[in-house]
Amino acid sequence: MHFLNFESFAEKDVMLMSMLRIAYIGDSVWELIVRNHLIRKGLNVHHMHSECIRLVNARAQASFLQSVLPLLSETELEFVRRGRNAHARHPTPKNQHPEDYSLATAFEVLIGYLYLTGSAERIEFISGFILGGNDHG
């Protein structure tokens, strides 16, 4: 994934960041990964949009996190734990279950942590596991 080439942060610096800041970038990275995946599938724009919405929402991200938990390192699990406990200053959106929203934030923190530390291979492994044929509909 060539878009992941940038000057990464030291892991110690990422450890000190707010989990919500890390989730903020993780959300964007995940959506870009999904859009890249959908472009490669050759779908029309309407179908790409529908699939993107299906794959980039709290329920889907909560499911994805559950599926990859056994594959994560201790450090990754620590970021997931901290991300799950992070609380935004706004209420959970009306159409989202609070538990899904919390797990989705943890998933975004995981992706954000990996992105910020320059762990492109790890992001590719996790996104490949999730998008490589697993049905999370």
Side-chain angles (χ1 to χ4, degrees):
M1 289 184 206
H2 300 298
F3 69 88
L4 293 174
N5 293 334
F6 79 107
E7 188 174 338
S8 60
F9 290 82
E11 187 167 324
K12 66 180 175 64
D13 294 332
V14 178
M15 290 275 196
L16 298 175
M17 287 182 187
S18 152
M19 291 299 108
L20 295 178
R21 287 184 71 176
I22 297 170
Y24 173 79
I25 194 71
D27 178 50
S28 296
V29 171
W30 178 247
E31 185 163 349
L32 187 56
I33 289 167
V34 167
R35 287 176 180 238
N36 188 6
H37 170 75
L38 295 174
I39 288 271
R40 294 176 186 285
K41 289 179 78 172
L43 303 173
N44 68 37
V45 174
H46 173 75
H47 286 108
M48 284 189 296
H49 178 71
S50 297
E51 278 295 290
C52 189
I53 289 170
R54 189 178 74 80
L55 296 169
V56 182
N57 67 67
R59 180 177 294 159
Q61 290 176 342
S63 174
F64 299 153
L65 179 64
Q66 297 286 4
S67 72
V68 300
L69 281 175
L71 308 173
L72 301 182
S73 71
E74 288 301 317
T75 302
E76 292 165 345
L77 288 169
E78 176 63 15
F79 272 90
V80 165
R81 184 192 65 73
R82 290 174 64 197
R84 186 173 181 186
N85 292 331
H87 298 288
R89 289 197 163 103
H90 57 79
T92 302
K94 282 190 257 183
N95 61 342
Q96 302 294 334
H97 187 278
E99 179 67 12
D100 285 345
Y101 196 71
S102 177
L103 290 171
T105 301
F107 178 77
E108 292 167 352
V109 166
L110 171 65
I111 299 299
Y113 157 71
L114 295 172
Y115 175 77
L116 291 171
T117 57
S119 303
E121 301 83 20
R122 193 68 178 141
I123 292 176
E124 289 176 13
F125 173 78
I126 289 170
S127 63
F129 180 83
I130 292 167
L131 298 172
N134 296 333
D135 184 25
H136 293 277

